[in-house]
Amino acid sequence: MPTPKKSSPVKRRFKTVQAGSVLNAHVRKVAEKRGFSETRLLTDWESIVGAEVAKLTQPIRVGYGRKGLGATLHINVLTGSAPEVQMYEGLIRERVNTCYGFNAITKLRIAGTFVQARNAHSAEKTTQKPPQMTPATKATLADVKDSGLRAALGQLGLSVKQRRTSAGEKS
């Protein structure tokens, strides 16, 4: 009777990979469907066109002509800023073509508008520490006997102080 073979322990080797390299193929696939041969145009839009233009625009897709000469970059713009973006059209084409390395984009088409979820001003407000009531204000409000009125006056004073500090005034 043959003796059973001893099974050797299974050696598994797991190779660690960077998350970016795993996603890179997927991002490239999606970008190519939209006509982007350079995925950097999507991922590094702000560094390509500049922060001021990037706040107003988003690249959507690149459309190629039938003859294959010159492409059209379709972008979304922030609601109400289309005239300003039209002023930047030459700059956008120049910077995007620098990214491609040749004169690939010949036209810029404003395809639609988007609403920015949170502008820089409101993001700045959320990072500021809310104003605190000073001891002098607390002492002044101590004379008010009604606790509801005292709390409302305190809140009103803090709101006024917060508006002054966000507007740049010193209190």
Side-chain angles (χ1 to χ4, degrees), residues 33-36 60-66 68-74 100 104-107 109:
K33 281 184 181 179
R34 296 168 124 198
F36 291 103
I60 303 172
R61 66 184 174 94
V62 176
Y64 297 95
R66 291 188 178 135
L69 299 173
T72 303
L73 175 63
H74 297 260
Y100 275 102
I105 305 296
T106 56
K107 290 183 186 177
R109 176 159 295 156

Side-chain angles (χ1 to χ4, degrees), residues 7-159:
S7 62
S8 62
V10 177
K11 292 184 181 180
R12 293 186 184 181
R13 292 186 183 178
F14 294 102
K15 184 179 177 185
T16 58
V17 293
Q18 291 180 344
S21 65
V22 173
L23 294 175
N24 202 11
H26 297 293
V27 170
R28 190 178 322 111
K29 192 176 192 180
V30 170
E32 286 173 357
K33 281 184 181 179
R34 296 168 124 198
F36 291 103
S37 61
E38 282 289 329
T39 56
R40 268 189 29 196
L41 204 57
L42 290 173
T43 58
D44 299 335
W45 180 247
E46 185 174 349
S47 65
I48 292 170
V49 296
E52 186 176 339
V53 177
K55 280 192 286 187
L56 304 174
T57 61
Q58 286 177 336
I60 303 172
R61 66 184 174 94
V62 176
Y64 297 95
R66 291 188 178 135
K67 297 178 184 175
L69 299 173
T72 303
L73 175 63
H74 297 260
I75 60 171
N76 275 346
V77 297
L78 184 65
T79 304
S81 62
E84 187 176 354
V85 171
Q86 285 178 336
M87 288 184 353
Y88 290 124
E89 182 177 351
L91 175 77
I92 294 170
R93 277 190 292 119
E94 178 184 327
R95 290 185 177 176
V96 169
N97 286 332
T98 301
C99 173
Y100 275 102
F102 64 98
N103 196 16
I105 305 296
T106 56
K107 290 183 186 177
L108 189 69
R109 176 159 295 156
I110 297 173
T113 60
F114 68 94
V115 178
Q116 198 170 25
R118 182 183 272 181
N119 61 18
H121 185 67
S122 65
E124 183 180 297
K125 280 184 179 180
T126 58
T127 59
Q128 288 180 352
K129 184 177 166 186
Q132 299 295 320
M133 200 178 305
T134 63
T137 307
K138 288 180 183 178
T140 304
L141 291 176
D143 295 339
V144 178
K145 292 184 179 14
D146 184 9
S147 63
L149 179 60
R150 184 173 46 246
L153 287 172
Q155 186 61 41
L156 176 65
L158 289 175
S159 296

Side-chain angles (χ1 to χ4, degrees), residues 148-170:
L149 179 60
R150 184 173 46 246
L153 287 172
Q155 186 61 41
L156 176 65
L158 289 175
S159 296
V160 169
K161 187 175 182 179
Q162 187 171 10
R163 284 190 182 173
R164 284 184 180 168
T165 56
S166 67
E169 296 178 23
K170 291 185 179 179

